Amino acid sequence: MSDQQAQKQAAAKAALNYVEDGMILGVGTGSTVNCLIELLSTVKLAGAVASSQVTEDKLRALGIEIVDLNFAGTLDIYIDGADEVNEHLQLIKGGGGALTREKIVAAASNKFICMVDESKSVEMLGREFPVPIEVLPQARSYVARQLVSLGGEPVYREDFVTDYGNVILDTYDLDVSNPIELEQTLNNIVGVVCNGIFAANQADVLLKAGSNGVTTLTR
Ligand code: 5RP
């Protein structure tokens, strides 16, 4: 097993400590979350709200009841991974394309617990990982031009459609020095459904796994 995979498993194990019997748990998407899902048979959840169809299918296969967010009320916790995280617990997410549903479930939860391996930790967001932007299909070229005018280099994610039937523009070279401002600026472009900067609603708890174990950061 690679060091990175071992760290994902360690972060997921640490996240499991926050999960209690009887909870309706918000569950994210990705390989780190998959490590958590493998551990969920050890708790008796009342149900789960999934941030993607893929996660929903995995949870159902374990016999966990899937709850519609509209009937779940405010969730106690949402647990998910990230593509990049900075020292303020602001994130880039959406490598798996589930950013919109992830942002909705995170916003509807009291506490967002983010699990990462140490490779995800960066000084400044967006220098290496592009910002995924979910766009209505008809607006793709228009939004791409607006992103270029902001200094970005949008790349259309080929052969990918989101759970909501939209497309993704993975956008390199954006200046993410003020993540809260850029998140809002991107949201204001007509045709943008959601963007992968999680700064207005950043993580509340970061579980960062490294070679010396898991460190917990809170905001
Ligand atoms: C999916 C996400 C994931 O949380 C992010 O891509 C991290 O994935 P992984 O745990 O596989 O590294 O935002 O849309």
Side-chain angles (χ1 to χ4, degrees), residues 8 29-33 80-83 93-99 102 120:
K8 287 179 186 203
T29 300
S31 55
T32 316
V33 166
D80 200 354
D83 298 300
K93 290 185 48 54
L99 59 154
E102 291 173 343
K120 307 292 184 63

Side-chain angles (χ1 to χ4, degrees), residues 15-141:
L16 189 68
N17 292 326
Y18 292 81
V19 183
E20 292 171 13
D21 288 348
M23 266 184 176
I24 297 178
L25 180 66
V27 187
T29 300
S31 55
T32 316
V33 166
N34 291 345
C35 297
L36 175 70
I37 291 174
E38 281 174 20
L39 302 173
L40 285 179
S41 53
T42 58
V43 281
K44 273 195 175 334
L45 292 176
V49 175
S51 76
S52 65
Q53 192 57 51
V54 172
T55 290
E56 196 170 313
D57 294 343
K58 285 182 187 294
L59 292 169
R60 262 191 227 286
L62 286 179
I64 295 170
E65 187 185 337
I66 300 301
V67 181
D68 181 333
L69 183 62
N70 289 307
F71 301 106
T74 301
L75 304 178
D76 290 329
I77 57 173
Y78 174 65
I79 306 180
D80 200 354
D83 298 300
E84 286 191 343
V85 54
N86 69 13
E87 62 176 337
H88 304 295
L89 275 50
Q90 296 167 323
L91 316 167
I92 289 183
K93 290 185 48 54
L99 59 154
T100 302
R101 219 164 134 177
E102 291 173 343
K103 209 178 254 194
I104 294 168
V105 186
S109 303
N110 280 329
K111 195 178 271 186
F112 176 5
I113 297 165
C114 183
M115 320 168 283
V116 292
D117 61 82
E118 62 189 351
S119 73
K120 307 292 184 63
S121 198
V122 297
E123 226 167 84
M124 189 166 139
L125 298 173
R127 276 202 186 127
E128 286 181 26
F129 202 86
V131 179
I133 302 176
E134 180 165 352
V135 176
L136 292 167
Q138 191 191 23
R140 188 183 91 206
S141 297

